[in-house]
Structure formats: structure tokens, C-alpha cells
Amino acid sequence: MKKNLFRIVLFSTITAFTLGSCSNDDNNDSGDNSGNDGTRWITLTGSFPDANGTAGNGGTRAYAITPENAANPNYEVDLFKMNGAEYVEGFALKSSRTARVQASADGKFLYNIQYTGTEGGVFNKYSVSGAGKFEEVGYELNTAVILGTSPRWVKAAEGIGVGVSFGDALDPYTGTAPNYVYRHPKGIIKIANIDLNNTAITNTGSINVDLGTELESEGYHVWRADVPVLNQAKDKLYIGLGIRRHDINGTVTTNATSGAINGWARTNERDLGTVTYVVDYPSLRNPKIITSENTMTDNLGYRTMTQYVGTDGHIYQATATSGPDILRISKTTNDYDQTYHFNLNTALGITGTSIKAWRYVKDGVAVVIYTTTSAAGGYIALINLNDKTAVKLATDIETDAALSTTLGQFQNIGLVGDNIYVPLTPAGKDGNIYIVNTKTKEIKKGAKLKAASGSFYLGAY
């Protein structure tokens, strides 16, 4: 296993570098050294409970099948089968908590930055050879010195990963009890660019958060950065933001038991739209904030991708995982197209929807997984972003309330050709892969997915 652990403290907005120390027999793995025989594998991932029994919080396992097996309702994947205390099927991806998994478009490689723990921030690349055959390839990179041990990261474009981390925020108060004074927390967004082909960090950057005097005086502040994506020209990087608002007329809150200070009281009142940071790429400089008032919901994803480059070159951005909106960032202006607004409620003729995950396919066609406030469960719809329509696609488990746990952590919808692959299992219950043909608009139930207590499937790649 090639290793390159980045141990020294180094962070620069201007220095591009590649981490390159390795053993004498190491070579770059930009070619296909996966041992793949040409099969298009579909990797399924699932999470299991932690030591305290928290569902889906203990780590991630993976298992690769063919499209033919995925489409066969008699085929069974038992990712959580155990012999005593040992799992007997699949492969354990390195991560002390649920991994944030990405994949190459051809399904030959998985990528992951470990989340929390002693190895939090370490990047691993795996080749895919079917079933539980996953092999670490390339360098093992330690991004923690830049991004910390709990980075948010995605495949921002094919062959390019970008990790982001928000931190160094100030306490939102100064002074001593009872004379606290509100202070804006500011903070810094750190960025690392990762060459996924050669497993190397090629540049770093930082953004000193600045929402402007007016918004900051109203208590608005950044609390999270997430889901970075490159535009079609690969000269701009868009970083989704989580925005909250302190009640500047409120008080410092404390823990009722310990008395420890929690911070300034927050308010749910919001008149600020969704916010995105834009930086030049690959320099990672010249940060600029863009805002859309077409929604009052954030565009970050808990563990799912919210932004995709469309066939038309525009970026389509969903307010996942708590809103019904999809917005558009113009390829011409690199700013929000304020005239464009897709609303899932309007398209389906219902209310209370929240997009939990989605996948752009091509030519404006996409698939969304969503919940509603009016009915428990999880639902699938095929949408058209051009004419702003949607068609609900029924599954036999859509009304199972346990899907709320599954979809809260759902990561990735698989795409092979015109077919979408959605592994759908209510938490702790068996389910199936559901396959959507985006041309015929049909949905079919595929392979059986065996679950276990506190476990569920959360991605297809």
C-alpha cells in the first residue's frame, strides 16, 4: 500500500504542491491498474451502528455487483451478514464513522476521506473488482493538517476532488456574565484540491468569511461549508454554505446541567436566501458570495451531493436535504440565474416536500428522492428541469416511516447509461434496488438487499 502521510503543519493560499514521497517501487496509478476486466460494476454501500447502537453511525461497507445482478429481483446482497462478531460479505471502507464515498464515472474506483477518529482526514482510493474485492491503490494522503479530521468533500469534477472545512470561528460573545456583548463569529473556510487520478494534493486555499456589515449586524453567520463543484469551464469552484442567524437581541445560552456556555441564542427567522461562495480555479483565490432569493433554504447536503453541471453547462443546485428547490447558476455570468426556479412541490402538486438526494442525468432530466410532511416514508420522482415537471414513481415500501432514518444519511444515486439505481432500505429492514429507466419513465424492483438492526444501504456508484 502506497503511503504519503502529510505530517507537517502547512497551509497556503498561494502554494501549489503535490505530495510525492513513496516507496521505491511506487508508481503513479493514473492508468487502470484496478484489475478490472471491463465489467461495469455497481458498488453498493451501507452503514452499520456504532458501539452505542446509533443506527448507521458505525462505519461503511461496500459490495460490487453487475448491472444484470442489480436488475434481478431474485439476486440477493447480504452486506451485513455476520459470523459471530465478524462480517462475512463485502468490504469495510476505512472510516471510524460513516464514510463519505465518491466514485469514478466508470465505477472502477471508489474514493473516500475518512471522517473523524485517529485517521480522520486520511484520503483512500480503492479499485473495484466485484463482490468484496476492493484494493487500496495510489497514495494514502493525510488532509487533516489542512481540512481537519472531519472534512466535507466531493468529486467536484471527474478526476478532481475538493475538500472543504469551516472552522476557526470566534465565540459569538465577549465579556463576562451577565454583561455579554454579541460578536460576529466570522471563521475560515479551508480548501484542498485533490488529483484523484494520481492521488495528490495539488493546491490549497482559504476564505476569510465575510458576509458584509449589514448581514453580520443582523446576526447572519456561516456554520458549514460543503459540496464544492467545478463549473463546465473548470475555472470557477462553487462551495455551498450553511447559514444561521443569531438573535442579537437575545442572550447567551447555557447548558442547563453543567452551566457551560453554548453561545448566543439563535433565531429561526430568516429573510436571507441561499448563499454560495465562488472562488477562481485552480488558484482558489478571489472569493465572492452569490445569493438567490428564490429560496430561504440552504444548499448544503448532509451526506449527499447537491450540485451538478447540466448538459447545457449551467449548474443546478438543490436545497437538499431540507427544501424543495432546485436553482440554476449561469455558465455565462457565474452567478445565480434569478429567473430560474424549480420547485418540487409545484411540480408534483403537493406541499411539504424535502429533497433528500438527487442525481442529474442529462438534457435536464434528473431523479430525486424526497420526503413529505404530509405522509411518512420516502419517495422517488423523475423530474424535468427544462419544463419544470415531475412524475412520481411508486415503490412498494415508500410509506415505511423507517425510511426517514435511511434518507437522512443517503449519499449517492447510481447512474449507468439511461438507468438510475436507487438502493432503498428502511433502517433495519430489508429492501431492494429500484431501477429507473429515464427514457421510458418506468421503475422496476431489482436485487434484494438484506439489512440488519441499525443498518441500511445508503448509496450506489
Side-chain angles (χ1 to χ4, degrees):
M1 174 50 210
K2 304 174 185 179
K3 290 186 179 289
N4 188 11
L5 299 180
F6 191 34
R7 300 293 186 188
I8 62 173
V9 178
L10 173 63
F11 190 86
S12 171
T13 61
I14 61 176
T15 302
F17 59 89
T18 299
L19 303 183
S21 63
C22 53
S23 61
N24 291 335
D25 60 351
D26 283 345
N27 295 295
N28 285 346
D29 63 294
S30 54
D32 179 12
N33 63 354
S34 64
N36 193 296
D37 60 2
T39 302
R40 189 2 173 139
W41 298 108
I42 297 173
T43 296
L44 303 172
T45 57
S47 60
F48 52 91
D50 60 19
N52 296 321
T54 305
N57 204 43
T60 302
R61 301 186 61 76
Y63 194 88
I65 63 177
T66 64
E68 292 75 20
N69 286 335
N72 181 359
N74 295 316
Y75 187 85
E76 184 175 281
V77 178
D78 194 353
L79 186 55
F80 307 108
K81 183 179 180 180
M82 301 188 76
N83 181 7
E86 301 293 327
Y87 288 99
V88 298
E89 300 288 347
F91 179 82
L93 299 174
K94 289 184 176 180
S95 193
S96 63
R97 284 183 57 191
T98 307
R100 278 151 174 77
V101 182
Q102 302 288 301
S104 58
D106 57 14
K108 292 181 179 180
F109 297 101
L110 296 187
Y111 317 105
N112 175 51
I113 296 181
Q114 296 182 50
Y115 189 74
T116 74
T118 57
E119 295 296 308
V122 173
F123 171 89
N124 303 101
K125 178 178 179 178
Y126 303 91
S127 66
V128 183
S129 299
K133 299 176 183 178
F134 296 82
E135 180 184 358
E136 285 191 64
V137 295
Y139 301 117
E140 186 173 74
L141 305 177
N142 190 344
T143 71
V145 69
I146 304 165
L147 301 175
T149 59
S150 304
R152 315 290 171 178
W153 91 284
V154 298
K155 184 182 73 173
E158 197 61 26
I160 301 172
V162 177
V164 293
S165 178
F166 173 75
D168 297 331
L170 303 171
D171 290 328
Y173 58 87
T174 59
T176 57
N179 301 312
Y180 294 114
V181 177
Y182 178 70
R183 173 178 61 181
H184 193 272
K186 297 291 188 178
I188 298 173
I189 297 171
K190 298 179 181 180
I191 313 167
N193 190 77
I194 302 171
D195 180 341
L196 299 177
N197 295 325
N198 298 295
T199 51
I201 296 176
T202 58
N203 198 15
T204 65
S206 67
I207 300 171
N208 293 314
V209 171
D210 184 0
L211 296 180
T213 303
E214 181 177 353
L215 291 176
E216 291 181 356
S217 68
E218 295 173 358
Y220 288 107
H221 61 282
V222 171
W223 69 275
R224 181 164 162 177
D226 207 346
V227 293
V229 69
L230 279 171
N231 64 349
Q232 187 179 56
K234 293 184 174 59
D235 60 4
K236 297 290 182 182
L237 181 73
Y238 298 88
I239 302 170
L241 298 180
I243 300 291
R244 286 175 177 159
R245 188 179 187 182
H246 285 125
D247 180 3
I248 60 174
N249 295 315
T251 59
V252 164
T253 61
T254 58
N255 183 291
T257 302
S258 67
I261 295 173
N262 291 336
W264 211 260
R266 293 201 299 263
T267 174
N268 292 325
E269 294 181 7
R270 173 172 176 167
D271 55 9
L272 174 62
T274 202
V275 181
T276 296
Y277 254 119
V278 187
V279 297
D280 293 341
Y281 186 88
S283 70
L284 305 179
R285 297 179 183 175
N286 301 320
K288 175 185 176 182
I289 285 176
I290 60 173
T291 305
S292 173
E293 301 299 334
N294 285 323
T295 181
M296 297 295 156
T297 306
D298 292 331
N299 55 63
L300 55 85
Y302 179 58
R303 283 176 174 159
T304 193
M305 185 62 177
T306 65
Q307 307 188 88
Y308 294 95
V309 179
T311 310
D312 56 11
H314 302 305
I315 289 176
Y316 291 88
Q317 181 189 78
T319 54
T321 55
S322 59
D325 308 292
I326 297 177
L327 311 177
R328 185 163 73 189
I329 298 174
S330 169
K331 67 177 180 181
T332 303
T333 65
N334 297 312
D335 201 344
Y336 281 105
D337 177 354
Q338 304 293 352
T339 67
Y340 184 88
H341 182 200
F342 175 94
N343 184 283
L344 187 60
N345 288 329
T346 302
L348 290 172
I350 59 177
T351 59
T353 64
S354 289
I355 298 171
K356 297 302 179 183
W358 79 297
R359 180 69 184 258
Y360 185 96
V361 181
K362 62 180 178 181
D363 300 328
V365 174
V367 168
V368 299
I369 306 175
Y370 66 98
T371 59
T372 75
T373 55
S374 59
Y379 305 86
I380 300 174
L382 187 66
I383 66 173
N384 189 308
L385 295 168
N386 297 330
D387 60 22
K388 301 179 183 177
T389 58
V391 177
K392 179 182 173 297
L393 303 173
T395 70
D396 55 347
I397 60 171
E398 61 184 21
T399 58
D400 193 317
L403 283 171
S404 61
T405 300
T406 302
L407 298 185
Q409 298 197 45
F410 200 91
Q411 287 195 19
N412 198 71
I413 298 171
L415 173 63
V416 180
D418 295 314
N419 289 329
I420 284 285
Y421 296 83
V422 182
L424 207 56
T425 53
K429 301 180 182 179
D430 296 347
N432 291 82
I433 299 173
Y434 291 87
I435 304 172
V436 179
N437 185 305
T438 56
K439 281 191 173 180
T440 65
K441 300 182 181 180
E442 294 177 321
I443 186 169
K444 294 182 179 180
K445 186 163 68 172
K448 299 175 184 177
L449 303 177
K450 299 289 290 182
S453 178
S455 300
F456 46 85
Y457 295 74
L458 46 68
Y461 299 84

